């Protein structure tokens, strides 16, 4: 294993997880291990591995895989956690984190009301049907969060560092205090920050979740999720996943790790581009409001600066087209030529999304309106293309409405 003590972020994205001793061969890059089965010198060895008495691989990837393990080590290193466990998607990671935190029938969860649409439905439909009590709160209103936590004594408080599409920022140090005072675990979906902008474990989070599909993999060609946590909670994730089977495959792990190596470079560009475009749109006559946590008039600007140590607020921002409804937003999206209308974010490609028909489609119009998601709200995820080209594309598409 390479010695990365005191090494900078960009050094660790390149080297973390690599350098396992494979015997005679010492590849610079961890290889893909597609084999499901592994053989041992004798049955005692196999028995010891199956009984968790010594490390090894037996049935892959559901019981662990060397390529996936390399990726897990890399993300644990970058998030500053003891260990990590990778899954086939961000949703699988969220589901398993909730189970590992102890969410069952007759337990409760306090969660941010504006979590990603599928997370909202997972809580409100699946976990509610199974008998868990879900309490949704505005995470920026700490008095309400504190009251909900002390009243319902949840096993988990689930928040997103930056929420979507209004880019609200969670006060992680205060939320950790509130959760821990009630003996609840703080689960943080850190997808919109990636480990580059913020490491929630430093602020007291017990589990950090990523949709790796987004910024970490970064190229729009792999779906994956990961949970970073303590060694003990990782063991619980592994115990559950051996039964539930939402494992990340070795090919996807390899692709995600390849994408990860340029995370710092991509994030620096994408955060810079997003800020430049957000500032420009604030002055645009057709735009009513821009939501981006690195704009000084954003309510959590100071908090975002402190959580990210001034590095930025991510690749994604949203804006409200003045007086627009579905028809005008569709016309705007159809007129874009470079920015792709696709349901993801965090890629090297700039992407546009209309939350009302995609990320927040599962919510009724009334719930969306309650959350502040109006019919004219559009979300942009800024890629690494030249910022002038992205700006020209948005300007020309705005001119059609
Ligand atoms: C904040 C957030 N968390 C989790 C997910 C789910 O991740 P995946 O699509 O990889 O299952 C998404 C997907 O858009 C997301 O935006």
């Amino acid at each position: 294993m390479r010695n990365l003590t005191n090494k900078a972020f960009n050094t660790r994205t390149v080297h973390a997880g690599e350098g396992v001793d494979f015997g005679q061969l010492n590849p610079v890059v961890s290889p893909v291990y597609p084999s499901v089965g592994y053989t041992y010198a004798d049955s005692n060895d196999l028995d010891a591995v199956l009984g968790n008495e010594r490390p090894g691989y037996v049935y892959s990837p559901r019981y662990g895989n060397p390529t996936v393990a390399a990726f897990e080590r890399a993300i644990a290193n970058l998030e500053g956690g003891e260990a990590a466990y990778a899954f086939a998607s961000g949703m699988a990671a969220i589901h398993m984190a909730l189970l590992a935190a102890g969410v069952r029938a007759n337990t409760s969860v306090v969660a941010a009301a504006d979590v990603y649409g599928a997370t909202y439905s997972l809580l409100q439909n699946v976990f509610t049907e199974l008998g868990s009590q879900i309490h949704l709160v505005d995470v920026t209103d700490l008095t309400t969060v504190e009251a909900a936590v002390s009243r319902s004594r949840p096993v988990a408080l689930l928040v997103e560092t930056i929420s979507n599409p209004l880019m609200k920022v969670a006060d992680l140090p205060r939320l950790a205090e509130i959760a821990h005072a009630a003996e609840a675990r703080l689960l943080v979906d850190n997808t919109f920050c990636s480990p580059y902008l913020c490491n929630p474990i430093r602020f007291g989070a017990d589990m950090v979740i990523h949709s790796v599909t987004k910024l970490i993999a970064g190229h729009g060609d792999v779906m994956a999720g990961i949970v970073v946590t303590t060694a003990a909670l990782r063991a619980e994730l592994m115990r559950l996943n051996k039964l539930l089977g939402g494992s990340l495959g070795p090919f996807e792990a390899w692709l995600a790790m390849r994408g990860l190596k340029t995370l710092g470079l991509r994030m620096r560009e994408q955060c810079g581009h997003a800020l430049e475009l957000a500032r420009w749109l604030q002055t645009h006559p057709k735009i009513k409001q821009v939501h981006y946590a690195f704009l000084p008039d954003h309510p959590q600007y100071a908090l975002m600066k402190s959580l990210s140590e001034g590095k930025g607020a991510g690749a994604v921002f949203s804006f409200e087209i003045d007086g627009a409804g579905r028809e005008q937003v569709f016309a705007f999206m159809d007129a874009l030529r470079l920015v792709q209308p696709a349901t993801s974010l965090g890629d090297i490609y700039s992407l546009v999304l209309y939350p009302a028909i995609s990320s927040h489609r599962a919510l009724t119009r009334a719930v969306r309106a309650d959350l502040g998601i109006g019919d004219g709200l559009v979300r942009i995820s800024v890629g690494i293309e030249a910022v002038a080209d992205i700006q020209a594309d948005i300007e020309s598409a705005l001119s059609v409405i």
Side-chain angles (χ1 to χ4, degrees):
M1 214 74 76
R2 292 166 203 169
N3 181 1
L4 296 174
T5 315
N6 299 327
K7 296 287 186 289
F9 187 85
N10 284 346
T11 308
R12 290 185 288 132
T13 53
V14 174
H15 291 282
E18 303 283 18
V20 175
D21 186 356
F22 292 101
Q24 289 196 318
L25 293 174
N26 282 301
V28 173
V29 177
S30 289
V32 182
Y33 280 87
S35 184
V36 170
Y38 291 80
T39 58
Y40 287 88
D42 60 44
S43 298
N44 282 323
D45 274 1
L46 176 62
D47 182 45
V49 175
L50 279 168
N52 286 331
E53 284 151 27
R54 50 162 279 205
Y57 298 97
V58 283
Y59 187 60
S60 176
R62 188 151 62 79
Y63 280 50
N65 171 280
T67 315
V68 177
F71 177 60
E72 290 170 343
R73 281 195 302 275
I75 300 294
N77 178 297
L78 295 168
E79 277 293 11
E82 279 177 20
Y85 198 97
F87 295 94
S89 69
M91 286 316 300
I94 293 171
H95 177 201
M96 295 298 285
L98 288 165
L99 288 181
V103 180
R104 299 286 185 277
N106 303 317
T107 64
S108 64
V109 178
V110 174
D114 56 355
V115 283
Y116 168 58
T119 308
Y120 179 94
S121 300
L122 173 70
L123 292 167
Q124 290 292 70
N125 302 335
V126 180
F127 276 105
T128 302
E129 281 163 19
L130 292 171
S132 315
Q133 276 93 50
I134 310 299
H135 307 275
L136 299 173
V137 289
D138 176 354
V139 156
T140 60
D141 178 355
L142 292 172
T143 314
T144 307
V145 178
E146 198 157 13
V149 167
S150 62
R151 200 175 48 243
S152 64
R153 307 297 294 185
V155 291
L157 170 60
L158 172 65
V159 305
E160 294 174 355
T161 318
I162 302 177
S163 75
N164 166 41
L166 299 179
M167 309 301 140
K168 291 184 180 177
V169 183
D171 188 337
L172 300 181
R174 284 288 296 118
L175 290 164
E177 279 171 21
I178 292 171
H180 295 158
E183 289 171 18
R185 289 197 167 107
L186 177 63
L187 276 51
V188 179
D189 181 334
N190 199 30
T191 299
F192 273 58
C193 284
S194 86
Y196 172 83
L197 282 185
C198 170
N199 296 140
I201 288 171
R202 273 185 48 210
F203 303 112
D206 300 285
M207 292 198 220
V208 178
I209 305 159
H210 286 281
S211 166
V212 170
T213 318
K214 310 295 186 327
L215 290 159
I216 290 179
H219 293 67
D221 53 9
V222 57
M223 183 164 281
I226 199 159
V227 180
V228 185
T229 186
T230 59
L233 279 170
R234 187 202 187 267
E236 177 62 359
L237 287 167
M238 185 167 180
R239 183 187 75 81
L240 290 164
N241 193 54
K242 279 179 172 176
L243 306 175
L244 293 173
S247 310
L248 182 64
F251 292 99
E252 285 77 8
W254 188 87
L255 264 181
M257 193 145 167
R258 183 184 164 118
L260 172 69
K261 294 187 189 297
T262 54
L263 178 64
L265 309 182
R266 287 185 278 113
M267 282 300 280
R268 200 182 53 212
E269 286 296 289
Q270 288 173 262
C271 290
H273 291 180
L275 181 59
E276 206 173 321
L277 291 167
R279 281 190 186 132
W280 163 65
L281 281 168
Q282 265 192 319
T283 64
H284 197 286
K286 288 193 176 161
I287 303 304
K288 190 169 155 204
Q289 200 179 357
V290 181
H291 303 274
Y292 188 58
F294 240 49
L295 293 173
D297 62 356
H298 186 284
Q300 288 101 37
Y301 171 63
L303 175 63
M304 188 71 239
K305 265 179 89 172
S306 118
L307 291 179
S308 73
E309 293 177 337
K311 286 198 288 273
V316 183
F317 67 89
S318 62
F319 56 92
E320 178 119 20
I321 306 176
D322 204 5
R326 179 186 164 100
E327 203 182 313
Q328 290 81 11
V329 171
F330 276 19
F332 166 72
M333 297 212 315
D334 291 345
L336 289 164
R337 291 289 167 266
L338 183 70
V339 179
Q340 302 291 306
T343 314
S344 197
L345 61 97
D347 292 350
I348 50 172
Y349 317 94
S350 291
L351 303 171
V352 64
L353 170 142
Y354 185 30
I357 63 155
S358 49
S359 61
H360 290 69
R361 190 186 186 104
L363 313 190
T364 63
R365 193 160 182 253
V367 173
R368 283 199 302 269
D370 243 23
L371 294 172
I373 303 168
D375 286 345
L377 192 77
V378 176
R379 187 189 85 188
I380 298 266
S381 173
V382 183
I384 61 168
E385 306 96 332
V387 72
D389 290 334
I390 310 170
Q391 179 173 338
D393 197 35
I394 297 173
E395 174 74 87
S396 127
L398 280 172
S399 73
V400 306
I401 51 172

